[in-house]
Amino acid sequence: KILHENHLVFSPLFEATAHVFISQEHPLAGQSSISPDMLGPYPFLAFEQGTYNSFYFSEEPLSTLTRKKIIHVSDRATLFNLLIGLNGYTICSGILNSDLNGNQIISVPLETDETMLIGWIAHEKSSLTTTAREYLDELKKLITQDGYELL
């Protein structure tokens, strides 16, 4: 509804399965997959940005689950530092770039049927600049290299 009211168009790129981002030192780091119940003792780190945050704008799948410990952060570097320092976790696409984030954070599949539809948003009357088209082309190459199928 908000996209429509603001004349915005969502363009899907790919669908990803839910993963847990944790520190490589986290007690669950050796698991081949993690169930939501296994995460209970650890703090959940929710990434929020912007003024109008609500669960409608959450980046994380399963954002409506009840959790004992939640820390809201608005900075990705802080989120990653807390993942390491507090044995916290967040739930996301599973796509992790070690060039940007180093090797201390790992991605482990989450045992759920939830998926994420990843894409981009633009105004319906806008056209992409040459740089934006080149960026999307490069992004699509990386997505397919990671084994995802473009939509």
Side-chain angles (χ1 to χ4, degrees):
K1 177 181 175 189
I2 291 172
L3 293 176
H4 178 73
E5 288 174 354
N6 290 284
H7 306 283
L8 300 172
V9 177
F10 176 77
S11 298
L13 289 170
F14 67 101
E15 189 171 16
T17 57
H19 283 68
V20 179
F21 279 9
I22 54 176
S23 162
Q24 66 181 2
E25 303 298 323
H26 193 283
L28 299 175
Q31 301 293 320
S32 59
S33 65
I34 297 174
S35 73
D37 290 340
M38 294 166 72
L39 296 168
Y42 306 103
F44 174 67
L45 300 164
F47 183 72
E48 293 185 353
Q49 56 185 337
T51 308
Y52 305 105
N53 285 313
S54 73
F55 73 90
Y56 293 112
F57 300 117
S58 175
E59 291 191 11
E60 300 90 4
L62 305 172
S63 62
T64 58
L65 288 181
T66 303
R67 295 179 169 92
K68 293 179 186 176
K69 304 172 190 174
I70 300 176
I71 300 171
H72 296 274
V73 296
S74 59
D75 175 82
R76 288 201 189 279
T78 300
L79 184 139
F80 284 162
N81 284 333
L82 292 174
L83 286 178
I84 295 165
L86 298 178
N87 279 333
Y89 72 95
T90 195
I91 299 174
C92 44
S93 67
I95 297 172
L96 189 60
N97 186 311
S98 61
D99 291 338
L100 294 175
N101 304 309
N103 294 318
Q104 292 182 296
I105 305 297
I106 61 170
S107 176
V108 181
L110 182 64
E111 296 170 9
T112 181
D113 293 332
E114 292 284 326
T115 59
M116 300 175 70
L117 183 59
I118 310 293
W120 56 281
I121 298 171
H123 192 274
E124 64 187 14
K125 293 184 180 181
S126 68
S127 58
L128 295 177
T129 64
T130 301
T131 303
R133 281 193 304 278
E134 290 172 356
Y135 176 81
L136 278 173
D137 288 343
E138 187 63 29
L139 188 58
K140 288 175 182 179
K141 285 180 198 172
L142 293 171
I143 291 165
T144 56
Q145 285 175 3
D146 280 349
Y148 290 95
E149 185 178 319
L150 293 173
L151 298 175

